[in-house]
Amino acid sequence: MKHFPTMVRSVAGVAVLLGLAACASAPRGGDVVCLLIAAGNRGDLDAVLGCYTDDVVWAPPWGDGMRGRDAIAAHYRTLFAGHAMHLEVVIEQERSVPDGVEVRALVRGRVVPRAGGDPVAANDRLVATLRREGGVY
């Protein structure tokens, strides 16, 4: 397996996500992250975007970050067109922050190019700050 190309890296790595939304009205912050990864594994763009607020900020440790659901949508469209995701997430920690929760997780598995070629290994950390509104994340 080889290392992540730039487009694929964003599914994992030590990323900070601000503005994850009420993904299927998840009762816990970690549930939102699990639902996000599961939607990515299915290539379900609508479900993925349902996990983000309009004002999401994505700050990966590599390259430029992204702001807004439209930027996230464009990224995932390109990612899903070229790759199939086979990831699992292990929630390592949830801690309260003002108006929400911070979730730290391990994301591992593989990302397989649709055109063939070697799968890309994932064994990365994710940090997400989720805002709680109306009793849901």
Side-chain angles (χ1 to χ4, degrees), residues 119-137:
V120 179
N123 189 24
D124 301 296
R125 302 226 177 267
L126 174 138
V127 178
T129 302
L130 289 76
R131 188 171 52 228
R132 188 169 178 88
E133 294 177 346
V136 295
Y137 294 104

Side-chain angles (χ1 to χ4, degrees), residues 29-42:
D31 295 337
V32 175
V33 174
C34 291
L35 289 168
L36 172 64
I37 298 300
N41 284 339
R42 293 189 311 273

Side-chain angles (χ1 to χ4, degrees), residues 35-69:
L35 289 168
L36 172 64
I37 298 300
N41 284 339
R42 293 189 311 273
D44 186 340
L45 183 62
D46 290 336
V48 165
L49 295 178
C51 293
Y52 292 100
T53 59
D54 289 334
D55 61 348
V56 61
V57 176
W58 196 348
W62 48 267
D64 295 329
M66 288 178 256
R67 287 189 171 274
R69 192 181 289 167

